[in-house]
Structures are given as structure tokens and as C-alpha cells.
Amino acid sequence: MMLQGLQLLIPAKVDPERDAVARAWEEGGGTVLRLDRFWSPPDVEPARTRLYGNDTFCLVVAQKLGLTLVSPPDDLLLQAEAVWVKREVHGSTLERVVTGPFPRFIKPMVPKVFRAAVWPGPEPLMEECRGLPPETPVLSSEVVVVRAEARAWMLDGRVLTCALYEGEGSVEDARAFLATVAAWERLPRTCVLDAALVEGRGWVLLEANAAWGAGLNGCVASEAARCIACATQA
């Protein structure tokens, strides 16, 4: 996909991965505009504008400019095939999950509401979530032993670039596994898929992230830029 005529808006703060995407964007024929006061973005042509940055930056700028961000569903793991998940995962709320067994891996259904982690018991989890309403939706899963983690950027059902970002494992096997997930019709046109190599179970789907806010994690910046170009809609 050519980036000619497309303008990428990113935060002004220096970030090595974001800067790599910016260079790839310009090399692909697009332009890059770094915003400092992002809560007051400049007058741009929405149809030619794309966003890439942290959640706050992208959500605020998208709202100001009337843009739509393409994101995977928050409950993706609950919809996914069991052969991809390969572990017990269920949806719950803060109020209910603290009465269940521990230790558990617990994360917010809506990304970054609180820290995703293996929680040894209810007390540290509730301390972390102090101030959040009891009905806050969460994902709860069994604790597994992870040997490696991989990230893949996908577009139109295909993996464009894949890399290991944690541990040791076969990136070819990770890519092959994530390619099967990428073809799933319930995914948006583009997103970023993470997988883990779990002891005794092989590669499993960890989560899906929005391309407009995901880090490279070792993936090829030029391929990521193609995904980012499709992650914002006017």
C-alpha cells in the first residue's frame, strides 16, 4: 500500500519505535506531523489523516478531528476458537473475580484500565483497582508457563510482519500460528496479534491490539506502517 498523500499525526515526544514508523512512513511517500499540543490539533484533511501513538493521544485527536479508530473487540479471547486460546479464560467483573480462586491472570476487558498481571490473591488486586466500580469487566484466566512471546501485524487476513519480543522460540512457528488467527473473519481489517509459547500447549493467542497504538516489538516498521494506514477512518 502506497502512503503517498497520507499524513501521519504522532506525538512530539521522541520514541524509538514511533520514530522508526515515522521514517518508514516518509520513505513510503507520506508526510509526518508531530503534535505537541495534541488536544488542540491543527486543521487537517480528515480523509488523508492517520494517527499513531498512545491511547490518550489517539483517542483525543480522533475525537477532535472526527476520525474513527479501527480496533479489535475487547472480548476477543471470549469469542476465539478454543484451539487458539488453549487455556481456561472467562469474562467476569471485579466484584465477582475477587471471590474466585487465586492465583489468576486478570486483566481489564477495556485495555489499560488497570495493570494486567498474575495476581496472588484478591487483596493486591483490589488495591490496584481502588476507585474502579465493582462492575468493571475483566478477563480472568488460569496461570500458565510462558516460554516466549511474539507479535504479528496483520492486514486483510494476512500477517505482514512477525517477531519474537520475549523469550526463545521459533518465529516461523509463531507466524504460522498467527496466520491462522489473522484469517478469522471476526477481526477488523487490521490489528496486531500477540501469541505466547506455553509449556506443554504450544503457541496460544494472548490478545489483539489496535494497530494505531501498538509498539513494533521487533517487527518491520514499513509493514507496520501499511497497517497503521488502514487503522484510521474518516
Side-chain angles (χ1 to χ4, degrees):
M1 176 179 177
M2 296 299 294
L3 304 176
Q4 191 75 38
L6 295 181
Q7 181 170 242
L8 182 66
L9 306 187
I10 64 174
K13 185 178 179 180
V14 173
D15 177 89
E17 290 193 327
R18 198 159 52 229
D19 292 344
V21 169
R23 288 192 298 271
W25 193 274
E26 291 174 331
E27 290 168 359
T31 59
V32 176
L33 181 60
R34 297 175 182 271
L35 303 185
D36 189 8
R37 297 170 56 85
F38 64 87
W39 52 90
S40 182
D43 185 21
V44 296
E45 186 178 349
R48 295 183 177 274
T49 300
R50 305 293 186 267
L51 308 181
Y52 182 55
N54 58 60
D55 284 10
T56 301
F57 174 88
C58 289
L59 293 171
V60 169
V61 176
Q63 182 181 40
K64 294 288 186 180
L65 298 179
L67 299 171
T68 299
L69 298 173
V70 177
S71 304
D74 292 331
D75 64 347
L76 177 87
L77 284 182
L78 301 180
Q79 302 180 36
E81 300 286 344
V83 295
W84 296 336
V85 179
K86 299 176 187 174
R87 64 197 185 282
E88 178 259 313
V89 180
H90 67 264
S92 186
T93 64
L94 273 179
E95 185 176 41
R96 294 201 308 268
V97 79
V98 295
T99 66
F102 283 87
R104 296 284 290 179
F105 177 81
I106 300 170
K107 62 182 290 186
M109 192 84 75
V110 178
K112 301 179 181 178
V113 172
F114 62 87
R115 180 167 51 94
V118 174
W119 298 97
E123 293 81 8
L125 175 62
M126 294 312 296
E127 178 65 25
E128 169 77 15
C129 299
R130 181 181 295 179
L132 292 177
E135 63 271 17
T136 299
V138 303
L139 285 172
S140 173
S141 65
E142 63 177 300
V143 178
V144 295
V145 178
V146 174
R147 298 302 184 191
E149 296 181 26
R151 170 159 291 186
W153 292 70
M154 60 79 64
L155 177 65
D156 293 331
R158 297 186 302 110
V159 170
L160 300 189
T161 176
C162 181
L164 293 177
Y165 62 87
E166 190 74 37
E168 295 183 1
S170 167
V171 68
E172 291 81 11
D173 289 348
R175 182 174 186 133
F177 168 75
L178 287 170
T180 65
V181 182
W184 189 22
E185 68 278 1
R186 293 190 185 181
L187 289 176
R189 183 183 180 190
T190 187
C191 67
V192 175
L193 300 172
D194 285 351
L197 181 58
V198 173
E199 189 172 281
R201 307 187 194 186
W203 286 100
V204 309
L205 179 62
L206 272 185
E207 62 182 4
N209 303 284
W212 49 263
L216 288 178
N217 282 18
C219 292
V220 178
S222 58
E223 300 290 10
R226 295 174 59 193
C227 297
I228 293 166
C230 298
T232 307
Q233 298 176 343

